[in-house]
Amino acid sequence: MDQTEKLLMGIENVLSIAAELVDEVSRLKEVEEECRMLKEKLFLKQFTKSEKEVFALALDGHSTSEMQEILFKEKATIKMQRRSILQKLNVSSMKEAVDKFQKIS
């Protein structure tokens, strides 16, 4: 076996390993995405259905007044649900709640 053949075999080996690494990186990205989704589900599981609706609108940047119009609820109801979300997350503002959620994503 001459030098050229050895070099070609070495290159083939490196390419094979590189292909395996690309596949592994792809698999790890899928696992990472699944973990992110599970964290989000676990985070949101602590809320009632109504609180999830309010929180989803908060994530989109809606104000209490906008939430009231979108959800057809009284302002006091929206405020109570927002307060409940803040208590459950142990934060003092909806911005903090949104930031906390985004950190897990």
Side-chain angles (χ1 to χ4, degrees):
M1 180 179 297
D2 68 0
Q3 288 286 47
T4 305
E5 289 174 328
K6 287 181 183 179
L7 185 58
L8 287 174
M9 285 179 60
I11 291 171
E12 286 176 354
N13 190 33
V14 167
L15 290 175
S16 172
I17 292 170
E20 290 173 11
L21 288 174
V22 167
D23 291 343
E24 184 64 11
V25 167
S26 177
R27 187 188 72 74
L28 289 173
K29 284 182 180 180
E30 289 175 10
V31 168
E32 182 180 43
E33 178 61 17
E34 287 176 21
C35 287
R36 185 192 61 76
M37 289 172 52
L38 287 172
K39 285 179 187 177
E40 286 180 8
K41 283 182 181 180
L42 185 60
F43 184 95
L44 295 173
K45 189 174 183 172
Q46 62 191 314
F47 301 142
T48 65
K49 181 179 180 245
S50 295
E51 291 167 348
K52 286 177 188 174
E53 292 172 341
V54 167
F55 191 70
L57 292 173
L59 285 172
D60 289 338
H62 291 283
S63 68
T64 301
S65 299
E66 291 169 333
M67 291 177 190
Q68 180 185 355
E69 291 175 18
I70 294 167
L71 298 173
F72 305 104
K73 292 184 178 181
E74 293 293 324
K75 192 169 192 170
T77 302
I78 299 294
K79 284 186 173 186
M80 182 182 64
Q81 290 166 338
R82 288 172 59 109
R83 190 169 30 252
S84 178
I85 290 167
L86 299 180
Q87 287 174 344
K88 288 178 179 181
L89 296 178
N90 196 29
V91 295
S92 58
S93 72
M94 202 50 112
K95 182 185 178 335
E96 281 184 72
V98 168
D99 288 347
K100 194 170 192 173
F101 179 76
Q102 289 173 338
K103 283 181 184 175
I104 67 162
S105 298

XYZ file of all heavy atoms in Angstrom:
847
model
N 0.863 -1.166 0.000
C 0.000 0.000 0.000
C 0.913 1.234 0.000
O 1.752 1.406 0.866
C -0.872 -0.024 1.268
C -1.797 1.141 1.344
S -2.854 1.140 2.809
C -3.835 -0.314 2.633
N 0.692 2.088 -0.981
C 1.554 3.271 -1.071
C 0.976 4.431 -0.265
O -0.115 4.334 0.301
C 1.807 3.648 -2.531
C 0.556 4.145 -3.236
O -0.515 4.211 -2.609
O 0.659 4.505 -4.431
N 1.693 5.530 -0.232
C 1.318 6.703 0.556
C -0.038 7.259 0.129
O -0.835 7.673 0.967
C 2.384 7.803 0.413
C 3.685 7.495 1.122
C 3.531 7.641 2.623
O 2.579 7.151 3.227
N 4.497 8.280 3.245
N -0.319 7.273 -1.162
C -1.578 7.822 -1.671
C -2.760 7.012 -1.165
O -3.773 7.577 -0.732
C -1.572 7.838 -3.214
O -0.426 8.564 -3.670
C -2.819 8.476 -3.780
N -2.627 5.700 -1.202
C -3.705 4.845 -0.711
C -3.924 5.035 0.788
O -5.065 5.089 1.262
C -3.390 3.372 -1.024
C -3.488 3.041 -2.485
C -3.030 1.624 -2.771
O -2.126 1.124 -2.071
O -3.583 1.033 -3.704
N -2.837 5.152 1.541
C -2.950 5.380 2.982
C -3.635 6.714 3.256
O -4.492 6.819 4.136
C -1.571 5.360 3.635
C -0.955 3.997 3.742
C 0.399 4.078 4.416
C 1.062 2.713 4.473
N 2.399 2.780 5.101
N -3.253 7.721 2.485
C -3.853 9.048 2.648
C -5.339 9.009 2.329
O -6.158 9.569 3.068
C -3.129 10.058 1.741
C -3.551 11.508 1.870
C -3.371 12.011 3.289
C -2.763 12.372 0.899
N -5.711 8.328 1.258
C -7.127 8.210 0.896
C -7.914 7.461 1.964
O -9.039 7.853 2.308
C -7.288 7.521 -0.462
C -6.908 8.362 -1.678
C -6.960 7.521 -2.940
C -7.811 9.572 -1.802
N -7.346 6.428 2.511
C -8.017 5.680 3.570
C -8.195 6.563 4.813
O -9.237 6.538 5.460
C -7.229 4.410 3.918
C -7.380 3.320 2.872
S -6.427 1.827 3.272
C -7.137 1.343 4.815
N -7.167 7.347 5.111
C -7.252 8.258 6.251
C -8.341 9.305 6.044
O -9.109 9.611 6.962
N -8.420 9.835 4.830
C -9.445 10.827 4.509
C -10.830 10.204 4.614
O -11.754 10.813 5.181
C -9.202 11.442 3.107
C -7.946 12.310 3.136
C -10.417 12.237 2.632
C -7.479 12.790 1.770
N -10.993 9.004 4.097
C -12.282 8.308 4.193
C -12.670 8.101 5.651
O -13.835 8.263 6.028
C -12.213 6.965 3.459
C -12.223 7.084 1.960
C -12.054 5.731 1.272
O -11.817 4.719 1.967
O -12.165 5.704 0.036
N -11.710 7.756 6.472
C -11.970 7.544 7.897
C -12.415 8.847 8.563
O -13.383 8.863 9.329
C -10.706 6.985 8.568
C -10.972 6.527 9.985
O -12.054 6.048 10.292
N -9.984 6.696 10.840
N -11.729 9.928 8.269
C -12.084 11.230 8.835
C -13.484 11.637 8.383
O -14.293 12.118 9.182
C -11.038 12.308 8.438
C -11.544 13.704 8.742
C -9.713 12.047 9.143
N -13.801 11.451 7.109
C -15.129 11.792 6.591
C -16.222 10.948 7.242
O -17.309 11.439 7.533
C -15.166 11.649 5.070
C -14.365 12.675 4.286
C -14.382 12.338 2.797
C -14.888 14.082 4.517
N -15.926 9.698 7.484
C -16.887 8.818 8.138
C -17.162 9.301 9.567
O -18.314 9.369 10.003
C -16.347 7.390 8.161
O -17.165 6.561 8.932
N -16.105 9.642 10.279
C -16.258 10.150 11.644
C -17.015 11.473 11.633
O -17.902 11.715 12.463
C -14.880 10.292 12.328
C -14.280 8.900 12.558
C -14.999 11.064 13.640
C -12.831 8.908 13.000
N -16.705 12.346 10.674
C -17.390 13.638 10.570
C -18.883 13.434 10.323
O -19.717 14.132 10.913
C -16.769 14.480 9.457
N -19.231 12.482 9.480
C -20.649 12.203 9.196
C -21.354 11.719 10.467
O -22.492 12.120 10.745
C -20.769 11.174 8.083
N -20.677 10.871 11.229
C -21.252 10.391 12.493
C -21.458 11.547 13.474
O -22.474 11.605 14.166
C -20.346 9.326 13.118
C -20.335 8.013 12.354
C -19.309 7.026 12.892
O -18.739 7.266 13.982
O -19.060 6.023 12.209
N -20.516 12.473 13.514
C -20.636 13.628 14.404
C -21.796 14.532 13.986
O -22.529 15.037 14.841
C -19.331 14.427 14.426
C -18.166 13.772 15.171
C -16.886 14.585 14.993
C -18.484 13.614 16.640
N -21.970 14.714 12.689
C -23.091 15.523 12.202
C -24.413 14.876 12.609
O -25.332 15.555 13.071
C -23.005 15.707 10.666
C -24.298 16.263 10.101
C -21.832 16.609 10.299
N -24.507 13.570 12.467
C -25.714 12.854 12.880
C -25.960 13.005 14.380
O -27.098 13.210 14.815
C -25.615 11.368 12.526
C -25.673 11.111 11.034
O -26.100 12.017 10.282
O -25.289 9.999 10.609
N -24.899 12.921 15.164
C -25.030 13.038 16.618
C -25.458 14.445 17.009
O -26.303 14.622 17.891
C -23.708 12.668 17.305
C -23.765 12.669 18.807
C -24.698 11.626 19.398
O -25.179 10.721 18.688
O -24.975 11.703 20.612
N -24.907 15.454 16.371
C -25.304 16.837 16.646
C -26.780 17.027 16.328
O -27.529 17.650 17.092
C -24.428 17.842 15.850
C -25.024 19.232 15.874
C -23.011 17.859 16.409
N -27.225 16.475 15.228
C -28.636 16.564 14.847
C -29.516 15.895 15.904
O -30.548 16.444 16.299
C -28.848 15.907 13.487
O -30.186 15.924 13.126
N -29.116 14.738 16.361
C -29.876 14.018 17.380
C -29.920 14.822 18.679
O -30.969 14.948 19.315
C -29.252 12.640 17.639
C -30.076 11.756 18.558
C -29.333 10.486 18.957
N -28.258 10.720 19.886
C -28.410 11.014 21.190
N -29.614 11.121 21.705
N -27.364 11.198 21.979
N -28.796 15.417 19.050
C -28.744 16.211 20.277
C -29.617 17.457 20.183
O -30.236 17.868 21.164
C -27.299 16.596 20.607
C -26.410 15.443 21.086
C -24.963 15.899 21.210
C -26.914 14.872 22.396
N -29.702 18.047 19.008
C -30.580 19.204 18.822
C -32.037 18.801 19.006
O -32.816 19.546 19.594
C -30.374 19.827 17.440
C -29.108 20.649 17.341
C -28.967 21.297 15.979
C -27.691 22.115 15.899
N -27.527 22.751 14.599
N -32.394 17.635 18.519
C -33.756 17.130 18.704
C -34.043 16.890 20.190
O -35.113 17.246 20.688
C -33.959 15.838 17.916
C -34.014 16.029 16.414
C -34.084 14.715 15.657
O -34.289 13.651 16.287
O -33.926 14.743 14.429
N -33.099 16.315 20.898
C -33.254 16.067 22.333
C -33.383 17.393 23.078
O -34.223 17.545 23.970
C -32.070 15.234 22.884
C -32.061 15.204 24.399
C -32.094 13.821 22.311
N -32.562 18.366 22.701
C -32.615 19.685 23.326
C -33.990 20.328 23.125
O -34.564 20.903 24.046
C -31.522 20.574 22.738
C -31.443 21.945 23.351
C -30.334 22.779 22.733
O -30.179 22.766 21.499
O -29.643 23.460 23.505
N -34.541 20.214 21.929
C -35.861 20.776 21.638
C -36.942 20.060 22.453
O -37.852 20.697 22.982
C -36.167 20.672 20.135
C -37.521 21.179 19.726
C -37.760 22.656 20.010
O -36.798 23.415 20.243
O -38.932 23.064 19.998
N -36.836 18.749 22.566
C -37.797 17.995 23.374
C -37.715 18.429 24.849
O -38.750 18.591 25.501
C -37.532 16.491 23.259
C -37.934 15.895 21.930
C -37.570 14.419 21.813
O -37.373 13.748 22.859
O -37.482 13.939 20.676
N -36.511 18.635 25.354
C -36.337 19.092 26.741
C -36.957 20.468 26.932
O -37.619 20.722 27.944
C -34.855 19.125 27.109
S -34.131 17.513 27.353
N -36.752 21.358 25.978
C -37.318 22.697 26.065
C -38.838 22.627 26.112
O -39.478 23.276 26.937
C -36.877 23.555 24.878
C -37.343 25.010 24.958
C -37.150 25.761 23.651
N -37.897 25.181 22.550
C -39.226 25.325 22.381
N -39.933 26.015 23.228
N -39.825 24.769 21.349
N -39.416 21.795 25.266
C -40.867 21.662 25.229
C -41.393 21.081 26.540
O -42.425 21.526 27.056
C -41.293 20.797 24.037
C -41.089 21.502 22.706
S -41.345 20.456 21.246
C -42.925 19.748 21.534
N -40.697 20.102 27.089
C -41.111 19.513 28.366
C -41.011 20.525 29.504
O -41.890 20.583 30.371
C -40.273 18.275 28.683
C -40.584 17.044 27.838
C -39.556 15.946 28.100
C -41.990 16.538 28.097
N -39.957 21.346 29.497
C -39.814 22.388 30.521
C -40.963 23.384 30.432
O -41.514 23.802 31.446
C -38.485 23.126 30.355
C -37.278 22.364 30.812
C -36.038 23.206 30.571
C -34.765 22.475 30.840
N -33.584 23.313 30.536
N -41.314 23.766 29.198
C -42.421 24.708 29.013
C -43.732 24.110 29.512
O -44.499 24.779 30.205
C -42.552 25.100 27.543
C -41.485 26.044 27.065
C -41.630 26.422 25.603
O -42.651 26.068 24.963
O -40.710 27.079 25.088
N -43.980 22.841 29.183
C -45.208 22.184 29.637
C -45.257 22.114 31.156
O -46.289 22.373 31.770
C -45.316 20.772 29.050
C -45.743 20.739 27.615
C -45.883 19.312 27.114
C -46.284 19.288 25.664
N -46.421 17.924 25.149
N -44.134 21.760 31.768
C -44.071 21.672 33.221
C -44.285 23.047 33.852
O -45.012 23.183 34.829
C -42.719 21.093 33.653
C -42.539 20.816 35.133
C -43.576 19.814 35.625
C -41.141 20.288 35.403
N -43.692 24.066 33.265
C -43.850 25.437 33.755
C -45.318 25.843 33.713
O -45.858 26.380 34.675
C -43.007 26.374 32.883
C -42.993 27.803 33.331
C -41.982 28.276 34.143
C -43.976 28.693 32.917
C -41.950 29.603 34.545
C -43.951 30.019 33.311
C -42.933 30.474 34.129
N -45.980 25.583 32.591
C -47.364 26.009 32.400
C -48.362 25.135 33.156
O -49.487 25.558 33.401
C -47.706 26.030 30.914
C -46.929 27.054 30.083
C -47.221 26.869 28.592
C -47.231 28.472 30.528
N -47.954 23.940 33.542
C -48.855 23.003 34.224
C -49.368 23.556 35.552
O -50.458 23.219 35.994
C -48.148 21.672 34.445
C -49.050 20.585 34.939
C -48.342 19.259 35.007
C -49.343 18.209 35.438
N -48.814 16.875 35.350
N -48.610 24.457 36.136
C -49.005 25.007 37.443
C -50.161 25.993 37.338
O -50.748 26.368 38.346
C -47.800 25.666 38.106
C -47.225 26.842 37.349
C -45.898 27.291 37.908
O -45.752 27.428 39.117
N -44.932 27.506 37.044
N -50.503 26.403 36.112
C -51.566 27.383 35.920
C -52.892 26.721 35.571
O -52.925 25.650 34.959
C -51.219 28.351 34.784
C -49.953 29.133 34.978
C -49.120 29.405 33.917
C -49.588 29.613 36.226
C -47.963 30.134 34.078
C -48.428 30.340 36.406
C -47.609 30.605 35.320
N -53.975 27.407 35.923
C -55.304 26.970 35.482
C -55.437 27.297 33.996
O -54.611 28.025 33.432
C -56.417 27.707 36.253
O -56.349 29.102 35.910
C -56.296 27.518 37.750
N -56.488 26.789 33.379
C -56.727 27.070 31.965
C -56.824 28.578 31.721
O -56.224 29.110 30.783
C -58.008 26.374 31.505
C -58.323 26.580 30.043
C -59.595 25.851 29.636
C -59.866 26.089 28.167
N -61.064 26.818 27.914
N -57.558 29.274 32.569
C -57.725 30.724 32.421
C -56.406 31.461 32.609
O -56.108 32.415 31.892
C -58.753 31.245 33.419
O -60.022 30.708 33.129
N -55.615 31.009 33.578
C -54.312 31.637 33.800
C -53.388 31.413 32.606
O -52.621 32.306 32.234
C -53.671 31.102 35.079
C -54.384 31.553 36.344
C -53.968 30.795 37.593
O -53.279 29.755 37.486
O -54.357 31.242 38.685
N -53.471 30.240 32.001
C -52.664 29.966 30.802
C -53.038 30.914 29.675
O -52.162 31.403 28.947
C -52.854 28.513 30.344
C -52.165 27.499 31.219
C -52.455 26.090 30.745
C -51.919 25.073 31.730
N -52.288 23.705 31.395
N -54.329 31.182 29.516
C -54.777 32.113 28.474
C -54.218 33.505 28.732
O -53.700 34.156 27.817
C -56.300 32.174 28.430
C -56.962 30.900 27.958
C -58.474 30.914 28.114
O -59.010 31.733 28.890
O -59.126 30.083 27.446
N -54.300 33.947 29.973
C -53.786 35.271 30.339
C -52.270 35.319 30.147
O -51.732 36.281 29.591
C -54.175 35.620 31.797
C -53.403 36.835 32.303
C -55.676 35.852 31.893
N -51.593 34.269 30.569
C -50.130 34.238 30.451
C -49.702 34.228 28.984
O -48.737 34.899 28.615
C -49.549 33.039 31.197
C -48.059 33.099 31.331
C -47.467 34.031 32.167
C -47.243 32.248 30.617
C -46.084 34.107 32.291
C -45.866 32.314 30.731
C -45.278 33.240 31.570
N -50.415 33.481 28.156
C -50.095 33.456 26.721
C -50.213 34.856 26.122
O -49.373 35.270 25.317
C -51.011 32.481 25.987
N -51.234 35.594 26.525
C -51.399 36.957 26.030
C -50.307 37.873 26.587
O -49.817 38.766 25.886
C -52.788 37.490 26.381
C -53.947 36.796 25.639
C -55.292 37.273 26.164
C -53.840 37.031 24.138
N -49.908 37.633 27.827
C -48.808 38.415 28.404
C -47.512 38.157 27.639
O -46.737 39.083 27.391
C -48.638 38.070 29.884
N -47.294 36.902 27.251
C -46.104 36.573 26.456
C -46.101 37.339 25.138
O -45.038 37.703 24.629
C -46.045 35.064 26.171
C -45.640 34.171 27.332
C -45.821 32.698 26.956
C -44.206 34.438 27.758
N -47.280 37.577 24.600
C -47.400 38.323 23.344
C -47.382 39.835 23.572
O -47.514 40.601 22.626
C -48.681 37.925 22.604
C -48.602 36.523 22.026
O -47.476 36.025 21.815
O -49.666 35.926 21.775
N -47.260 40.259 24.848
C -47.139 41.671 25.153
C -48.441 42.432 25.316
O -48.457 43.661 25.302
N -49.538 41.714 25.498
C -50.837 42.379 25.648
C -51.008 42.984 27.041
O -50.574 42.409 28.043
C -51.979 41.395 25.377
C -52.072 40.983 23.953
N -52.616 41.785 22.974
C -51.676 39.852 23.327
C -52.556 41.163 21.807
N -51.983 39.985 21.990
N -51.659 44.132 27.095
C -51.964 44.796 28.363
C -53.204 44.158 28.982
O -53.920 43.379 28.337
C -52.232 46.275 28.115
O -53.438 46.427 27.376
N -53.478 44.519 30.224
C -54.673 44.022 30.908
C -55.930 44.393 30.131
O -56.829 43.569 29.958
C -54.743 44.587 32.343
O -53.566 44.184 33.046
C -55.956 44.073 33.090
N -55.992 45.622 29.651
C -57.163 46.073 28.872
C -57.336 45.257 27.598
O -58.454 44.873 27.234
C -57.032 47.555 28.518
O -56.960 48.323 29.688
N -56.231 44.991 26.925
C -56.302 44.177 25.703
C -56.739 42.751 26.022
O -57.538 42.161 25.288
C -54.944 44.172 24.999
C -54.561 45.509 24.408
C -53.116 45.578 23.938
O -52.253 44.841 24.490
O -52.851 46.363 23.031
N -56.229 42.211 27.120
C -56.631 40.864 27.545
C -58.126 40.821 27.812
O -58.803 39.856 27.444
C -55.858 40.442 28.798
C -54.410 40.195 28.585
S -53.621 39.779 30.155
C -51.903 39.844 29.691
N -58.610 41.857 28.449
C -60.035 41.946 28.766
C -60.870 41.886 27.492
O -61.856 41.149 27.422
C -60.296 43.260 29.515
C -61.718 43.489 29.902
C -61.910 44.867 30.544
O -60.960 45.604 30.774
N -63.142 45.202 30.817
N -60.463 42.614 26.481
C -61.198 42.628 25.205
C -61.091 41.294 24.481
O -62.069 40.797 23.927
C -60.663 43.750 24.316
C -60.983 45.141 24.819
C -60.344 46.231 23.975
O -59.946 45.956 22.829
O -60.237 47.360 24.478
N -59.896 40.721 24.477
C -59.671 39.461 23.758
C -60.410 38.298 24.412
O -61.011 37.465 23.733
C -58.162 39.159 23.663
C -57.470 40.207 22.777
C -57.911 37.748 23.123
C -55.950 40.195 22.855
N -60.365 38.251 25.742
C -60.944 37.120 26.478
C -62.395 37.346 26.908
O -63.024 36.442 27.457
C -60.081 36.814 27.717
C -58.638 36.397 27.434
C -57.852 36.290 28.729
C -58.593 35.092 26.654
N -62.913 38.553 26.669
C -64.286 38.895 27.076
C -64.494 38.659 28.566
O -65.452 38.027 28.988
C -65.327 38.114 26.259
C -65.175 38.277 24.781
C -64.622 37.264 24.002
C -65.561 39.454 24.156
C -64.485 37.416 22.634
C -65.418 39.616 22.785
C -64.876 38.603 22.024
N -63.544 39.165 29.369
C -63.622 39.014 30.820
C -63.559 40.386 31.465
O -63.053 41.342 30.895
C -62.451 38.165 31.334
C -62.505 36.715 30.896
C -61.372 35.933 31.513
C -61.452 34.462 31.104
N -60.379 33.680 31.713
N -64.046 40.437 32.689
C -63.984 41.676 33.467
C -62.526 41.993 33.803
O -61.706 41.082 33.989
C -64.789 41.531 34.761
C -66.284 41.382 34.550
C -66.931 42.643 33.989
O -66.501 43.754 34.364
O -67.855 42.498 33.168
N -62.244 43.267 33.910
C -60.891 43.700 34.244
C -60.451 43.110 35.589
O -59.306 42.676 35.741
C -60.819 45.220 34.276
C -59.423 45.761 34.318
C -59.421 47.261 34.084
C -57.998 47.732 33.836
N -57.950 49.115 33.380
N -61.346 43.062 36.545
C -61.027 42.510 37.866
C -60.637 41.033 37.759
O -59.742 40.568 38.477
C -62.210 42.687 38.811
N -61.301 40.308 36.874
C -60.990 38.879 36.681
C -59.582 38.722 36.111
O -58.799 37.890 36.592
C -62.023 38.228 35.736
O -63.320 38.396 36.294
C -61.733 36.755 35.531
N -59.270 39.519 35.105
C -57.935 39.468 34.500
C -56.883 39.816 35.553
O -55.862 39.127 35.673
C -57.826 40.450 33.309
C -58.829 40.098 32.203
C -56.394 40.470 32.766
C -58.600 38.798 31.505
N -57.130 40.860 36.321
C -56.171 41.264 37.356
C -55.981 40.161 38.391
O -54.861 39.909 38.846
C -56.629 42.561 38.035
C -56.402 43.784 37.183
C -56.731 45.041 37.961
C -56.332 46.269 37.173
N -56.494 47.504 37.937
N -57.069 39.491 38.773
C -56.978 38.409 39.742
C -56.152 37.246 39.170
O -55.317 36.668 39.872
C -58.383 37.912 40.113
C -58.403 36.809 41.149
S -60.068 36.228 41.519
C -60.552 35.530 39.950
N -56.372 36.922 37.914
C -55.616 35.832 37.291
C -54.139 36.201 37.148
O -53.257 35.367 37.367
C -56.237 35.473 35.937
C -57.590 34.803 36.114
C -58.408 34.714 34.848
O -58.207 35.465 33.902
N -59.353 33.785 34.840
N -53.874 37.453 36.802
C -52.483 37.908 36.717
C -51.815 37.826 38.092
O -50.683 37.358 38.212
C -52.419 39.341 36.178
C -52.735 39.449 34.693
C -52.845 40.888 34.241
N -51.638 41.640 34.467
C -50.810 42.059 33.509
N -51.084 41.798 32.241
N -49.732 42.748 33.807
N -52.525 38.258 39.121
C -51.995 38.214 40.486
C -51.695 36.767 40.891
O -50.667 36.476 41.503
C -52.984 38.870 41.446
C -52.453 39.094 42.827
C -53.329 39.980 43.731
N -54.765 39.945 43.471
C -55.455 40.946 42.901
N -54.851 42.051 42.528
N -56.745 40.832 42.697
N -52.581 35.864 40.527
C -52.382 34.448 40.846
C -51.130 33.904 40.139
O -50.348 33.148 40.730
C -53.620 33.647 40.437
O -53.426 32.285 40.684
N -50.934 34.288 38.894
C -49.740 33.873 38.136
C -48.483 34.372 38.840
O -47.520 33.620 39.031
C -49.805 34.404 36.685
C -50.901 33.674 35.905
C -48.451 34.265 35.988
C -51.268 34.329 34.572
N -48.498 35.637 39.242
C -47.333 36.218 39.912
C -47.024 35.488 41.215
O -45.853 35.219 41.526
C -47.555 37.712 40.180
C -47.779 38.600 38.951
C -47.977 40.049 39.373
C -46.657 38.473 37.946
N -48.075 35.156 41.973
C -47.872 34.439 43.238
C -47.286 33.054 42.992
O -46.374 32.626 43.699
C -49.194 34.327 43.994
C -49.658 35.627 44.595
C -51.042 35.522 45.226
O -51.783 34.583 44.970
N -51.383 36.507 46.051
N -47.828 32.358 42.008
C -47.344 31.002 41.721
C -45.884 31.005 41.278
O -45.151 30.057 41.546
C -48.216 30.342 40.654
C -49.584 29.959 41.176
C -50.451 29.352 40.100
C -51.812 28.963 40.677
N -52.689 28.345 39.668
N -45.468 32.069 40.598
C -44.085 32.152 40.116
C -43.165 32.885 41.090
O -41.964 32.979 40.853
C -44.049 32.846 38.752
C -44.761 32.114 37.622
C -44.685 32.928 36.342
C -44.169 30.725 37.413
N -43.768 33.412 42.152
C -42.998 34.155 43.154
C -42.229 35.319 42.518
O -41.030 35.488 42.732
C -42.056 33.226 43.918
C -41.539 33.863 45.191
O -42.208 34.703 45.789
N -40.350 33.471 45.600
N -42.952 36.089 41.710
C -42.389 37.277 41.072
C -43.311 38.459 41.353
O -44.450 38.289 41.775
C -42.203 37.089 39.541
C -41.170 36.005 39.259
C -43.513 36.757 38.857
N -42.813 39.669 41.089
C -43.609 40.844 41.414
C -44.201 41.559 40.205
O -44.968 42.501 40.371
C -42.766 41.834 42.229
O -41.619 42.198 41.496
N -43.856 41.113 39.001
C -44.430 41.748 37.815
C -44.600 40.724 36.702
O -43.934 39.683 36.691
C -43.528 42.890 37.322
O -42.348 42.359 36.729
N -45.472 41.049 35.779
C -45.693 40.150 34.649
C -44.442 40.095 33.773
O -44.150 39.062 33.185
C -46.917 40.617 33.854
C -47.531 39.521 33.043
S -47.857 37.992 33.969
C -49.592 37.969 33.998
N -43.700 41.187 33.718
C -42.439 41.175 32.965
C -41.486 40.138 33.550
O -40.858 39.374 32.813
C -41.789 42.551 32.950
C -40.505 42.568 32.120
C -39.793 43.887 32.203
C -38.500 43.936 31.437
N -37.778 42.736 31.178
N -41.396 40.089 34.878
C -40.558 39.081 35.528
C -41.049 37.671 35.210
O -40.254 36.751 34.996
C -40.556 39.267 37.046
C -39.654 40.355 37.565
C -39.668 40.381 39.080
O -39.090 39.468 39.709
O -40.278 41.312 39.630
N -42.371 37.498 35.205
C -42.959 36.186 34.905
C -42.600 35.767 33.480
O -42.189 34.624 33.245
C -44.476 36.241 35.072
N -42.736 36.693 32.550
C -42.394 36.399 31.146
C -40.907 36.095 31.016
O -40.517 35.139 30.351
C -42.816 37.582 30.234
C -42.220 37.441 28.846
C -44.339 37.679 30.166
N -40.075 36.892 31.678
C -38.617 36.655 31.646
C -38.276 35.283 32.196
O -37.427 34.562 31.642
C -37.877 37.729 32.440
C -37.874 39.083 31.746
O -38.230 39.157 30.546
O -37.545 40.081 32.423
N -38.935 34.912 33.292
C -38.691 33.601 33.910
C -39.043 32.482 32.930
O -38.307 31.501 32.803
C -39.522 33.487 35.189
C -39.143 32.356 36.085
C -39.842 32.475 37.430
C -39.278 31.526 38.438
N -39.820 31.716 39.786
N -40.160 32.635 32.234
C -40.569 31.636 31.249
C -39.582 31.580 30.094
O -39.197 30.497 29.639
C -41.968 31.953 30.721
C -42.447 30.984 29.675
C -42.884 29.731 30.018
C -42.468 31.346 28.330
C -43.335 28.834 29.055
C -42.900 30.466 27.364
C -43.342 29.205 27.728
N -39.141 32.720 29.617
C -38.240 32.763 28.474
C -36.862 32.193 28.801
O -36.186 31.696 27.916
C -38.137 34.190 27.928
C -39.425 34.605 27.236
C -39.454 36.063 26.819
O -38.740 36.891 27.356
N -40.305 36.363 25.865
N -36.474 32.236 30.067
C -35.177 31.672 30.466
C -35.171 30.155 30.345
O -34.119 29.558 30.128
C -34.828 32.089 31.889
C -34.337 33.510 31.987
C -33.989 33.869 33.412
C -33.591 35.337 33.483
N -33.354 35.766 34.866
N -36.330 29.532 30.488
C -36.365 28.068 30.373
C -36.459 27.641 28.918
O -36.218 26.482 28.602
C -37.527 27.436 31.165
C -38.868 27.819 30.572
C -37.420 27.746 32.621
C -39.987 26.919 30.997
N -36.839 28.548 28.059
C -37.001 28.221 26.638
C -35.697 28.241 25.899
O -34.743 28.792 26.226
C -37.961 29.202 25.978
O -39.214 29.109 26.582
